[in-house]
PDB file of all heavy atoms in Angstrom:
ATOM      1  N   LEU V 175      12.640  14.677 -30.986  1.00 98.00           N
ATOM      2  CA  LEU V 175      11.515  13.853 -30.569  1.00 98.00           C
ATOM      3  C   LEU V 175      12.049  12.526 -30.081  1.00 98.00           C
ATOM      4  O   LEU V 175      12.941  11.952 -30.707  1.00 98.00           O
ATOM      5  CB  LEU V 175      10.584  13.629 -31.786  1.00 98.00           C
ATOM      6  CG  LEU V 175       9.445  12.618 -31.629  1.00 98.00           C
ATOM      7  CD1 LEU V 175       8.320  13.218 -30.762  1.00 98.00           C
ATOM      8  CD2 LEU V 175       8.850  12.274 -33.009  1.00 98.00           C
ATOM      9  N   SER V 176      11.540  12.028 -28.969  1.00 98.00           N
ATOM     10  CA  SER V 176      11.975  10.711 -28.511  1.00 98.00           C
ATOM     11  C   SER V 176      10.836   9.992 -27.799  1.00 98.00           C
ATOM     12  O   SER V 176       9.984  10.624 -27.189  1.00 98.00           O
ATOM     13  CB  SER V 176      13.182  10.824 -27.564  1.00 98.00           C
ATOM     14  OG  SER V 176      13.607   9.524 -27.164  1.00 98.00           O
ATOM     15  N   ASN V 177      10.873   8.672 -27.877  1.00 98.00           N
ATOM     16  CA  ASN V 177       9.968   7.812 -27.099  1.00 98.00           C
ATOM     17  C   ASN V 177      10.773   6.923 -26.160  1.00 98.00           C
ATOM     18  O   ASN V 177      10.262   5.961 -25.623  1.00 98.00           O
ATOM     19  CB  ASN V 177       9.096   6.965 -28.009  1.00 98.00           C
ATOM     20  CG  ASN V 177       9.923   5.961 -28.804  1.00 98.00           C
ATOM     21  OD1 ASN V 177      11.126   6.009 -28.795  1.00 98.00           O
ATOM     22  ND2 ASN V 177       9.246   5.045 -29.476  1.00 98.00           N
ATOM     23  N   GLY V 178      12.057   7.232 -25.980  1.00 98.00           N
ATOM     24  CA  GLY V 178      12.897   6.428 -25.101  1.00 98.00           C
ATOM     25  C   GLY V 178      13.656   5.322 -25.835  1.00 98.00           C
ATOM     26  O   GLY V 178      14.638   4.808 -25.314  1.00 98.00           O
ATOM     27  N   ASP V 179      13.190   4.937 -27.027  1.00 97.00           N
ATOM     28  CA  ASP V 179      13.893   3.933 -27.831  1.00 97.00           C
ATOM     29  C   ASP V 179      14.855   4.589 -28.806  1.00 97.00           C
ATOM     30  O   ASP V 179      15.927   4.051 -29.101  1.00 97.00           O
ATOM     31  CB  ASP V 179      12.908   3.110 -28.678  1.00 97.00           C
ATOM     32  CG  ASP V 179      12.088   2.157 -27.838  1.00 97.00           C
ATOM     33  OD1 ASP V 179      12.530   1.800 -26.734  1.00 97.00           O
ATOM     34  OD2 ASP V 179      11.006   1.758 -28.309  1.00 97.00           O
ATOM     35  N   ALA V 180      14.438   5.683 -29.385  1.00 98.00           N
ATOM     36  CA  ALA V 180      15.193   6.358 -30.427  1.00 98.00           C
ATOM     37  C   ALA V 180      15.013   7.848 -30.254  1.00 98.00           C
ATOM     38  O   ALA V 180      14.124   8.306 -29.498  1.00 98.00           O
ATOM     39  CB  ALA V 180      14.700   5.918 -31.801  1.00 98.00           C
ATOM     40  N   LEU V 181      15.860   8.620 -30.945  1.00 98.00           N
ATOM     41  CA  LEU V 181      15.729  10.076 -30.914  1.00 98.00           C
ATOM     42  C   LEU V 181      15.721  10.576 -32.366  1.00 98.00           C
ATOM     43  O   LEU V 181      16.653  10.314 -33.124  1.00 98.00           O
ATOM     44  CB  LEU V 181      16.867  10.698 -30.105  1.00 98.00           C
ATOM     45  CG  LEU V 181      16.705  12.160 -29.690  1.00 98.00           C
ATOM     46  CD1 LEU V 181      17.398  12.444 -28.370  1.00 98.00           C
ATOM     47  CD2 LEU V 181      17.198  13.111 -30.768  1.00 98.00           C
ATOM     48  N   TRP V 182      14.631  11.245 -32.739  1.00 98.00           N
ATOM     49  CA  TRP V 182      14.516  11.826 -34.064  1.00 98.00           C
ATOM     50  C   TRP V 182      14.904  13.302 -33.990  1.00 98.00           C
ATOM     51  O   TRP V 182      14.493  14.005 -33.059  1.00 98.00           O
ATOM     52  CB  TRP V 182      13.085  11.718 -34.586  1.00 98.00           C
ATOM     53  CG  TRP V 182      12.690  10.322 -34.955  1.00 98.00           C
ATOM     54  CD1 TRP V 182      12.756   9.765 -36.202  1.00 98.00           C
ATOM     55  CD2 TRP V 182      12.167   9.296 -34.089  1.00 98.00           C
ATOM     56  NE1 TRP V 182      12.312   8.448 -36.154  1.00 98.00           N
ATOM     57  CE2 TRP V 182      11.943   8.140 -34.883  1.00 98.00           C
ATOM     58  CE3 TRP V 182      11.867   9.232 -32.729  1.00 98.00           C
ATOM     59  CZ2 TRP V 182      11.435   6.942 -34.361  1.00 98.00           C
ATOM     60  CZ3 TRP V 182      11.360   8.043 -32.199  1.00 98.00           C
ATOM     61  CH2 TRP V 182      11.152   6.931 -32.996  1.00 98.00           C
ATOM     62  N   ALA V 183      15.688  13.736 -34.982  1.00 98.00           N
ATOM     63  CA  ALA V 183      16.130  15.126 -35.026  1.00 98.00           C
ATOM     64  C   ALA V 183      15.870  15.661 -36.420  1.00 98.00           C
ATOM     65  O   ALA V 183      16.288  15.055 -37.412  1.00 98.00           O
ATOM     66  CB  ALA V 183      17.611  15.216 -34.684  1.00 98.00           C
ATOM     67  N   HIS V 184      15.132  16.748 -36.491  1.00 98.00           N
ATOM     68  CA  HIS V 184      14.819  17.355 -37.780  1.00 98.00           C
ATOM     69  C   HIS V 184      15.355  18.774 -37.834  1.00 98.00           C
ATOM     70  O   HIS V 184      15.206  19.539 -36.887  1.00 98.00           O
ATOM     71  CB  HIS V 184      13.305  17.386 -38.013  1.00 98.00           C
ATOM     72  CG  HIS V 184      12.933  18.024 -39.304  1.00 98.00           C
ATOM     73  ND1 HIS V 184      12.500  19.332 -39.390  1.00 98.00           N
ATOM     74  CD2 HIS V 184      12.978  17.550 -40.577  1.00 98.00           C
ATOM     75  CE1 HIS V 184      12.266  19.632 -40.658  1.00 98.00           C
ATOM     76  NE2 HIS V 184      12.543  18.577 -41.393  1.00 98.00           N
ATOM     77  N   CYS V 185      15.974  19.077 -38.968  1.00 98.00           N
ATOM     78  CA  CYS V 185      16.570  20.413 -39.161  1.00 98.00           C
ATOM     79  C   CYS V 185      15.842  21.145 -40.272  1.00 98.00           C
ATOM     80  O   CYS V 185      15.696  20.627 -41.379  1.00 98.00           O
ATOM     81  CB  CYS V 185      18.030  20.243 -39.528  1.00 98.00           C
ATOM     82  SG  CYS V 185      18.822  21.804 -39.972  1.00 98.00           S
ATOM     83  N   SER V 186      15.359  22.344 -39.949  1.00 97.00           N
ATOM     84  CA  SER V 186      14.925  23.255 -41.005  1.00 97.00           C
ATOM     85  C   SER V 186      16.057  24.222 -41.337  1.00 97.00           C
ATOM     86  O   SER V 186      16.389  24.452 -42.485  1.00 97.00           O
ATOM     87  CB  SER V 186      13.719  24.087 -40.568  1.00 97.00           C
ATOM     88  OG  SER V 186      12.518  23.420 -40.791  1.00 97.00           O
ATOM     89  N   THR V 187      16.594  24.822 -40.269  1.00 95.00           N
ATOM     90  CA  THR V 187      17.536  25.915 -40.468  1.00 95.00           C
ATOM     91  C   THR V 187      18.898  25.653 -39.825  1.00 95.00           C
ATOM     92  O   THR V 187      19.923  25.993 -40.422  1.00 95.00           O
ATOM     93  CB  THR V 187      16.967  27.228 -39.868  1.00 95.00           C
ATOM     94  OG1 THR V 187      16.582  26.968 -38.522  1.00 95.00           O
ATOM     95  CG2 THR V 187      15.787  27.719 -40.674  1.00 95.00           C
ATOM     96  N   LYS V 188      18.924  25.086 -38.617  1.00 96.00           N
ATOM     97  CA  LYS V 188      20.203  24.928 -37.949  1.00 96.00           C
ATOM     98  C   LYS V 188      20.158  23.791 -36.926  1.00 96.00           C
ATOM     99  O   LYS V 188      19.348  23.807 -35.999  1.00 96.00           O
ATOM    100  CB  LYS V 188      20.578  26.220 -37.216  1.00 96.00           C
ATOM    101  CG  LYS V 188      22.075  26.279 -36.871  1.00 96.00           C
ATOM    102  CD  LYS V 188      22.367  27.346 -35.862  1.00 96.00           C
ATOM    103  CE  LYS V 188      22.555  28.724 -36.516  1.00 96.00           C
ATOM    104  NZ  LYS V 188      23.088  29.687 -35.528  1.00 96.00           N
TER     105      LYS V 188
END
Side-chain angles (χ1 to χ4, degrees):
Chain V
L175 171 74
S176 181
N177 66 351
D179 288 337
L181 194 149
W182 288 265
H184 179 260
C185 174
S186 274
T187 52
K188 198 195 276 190

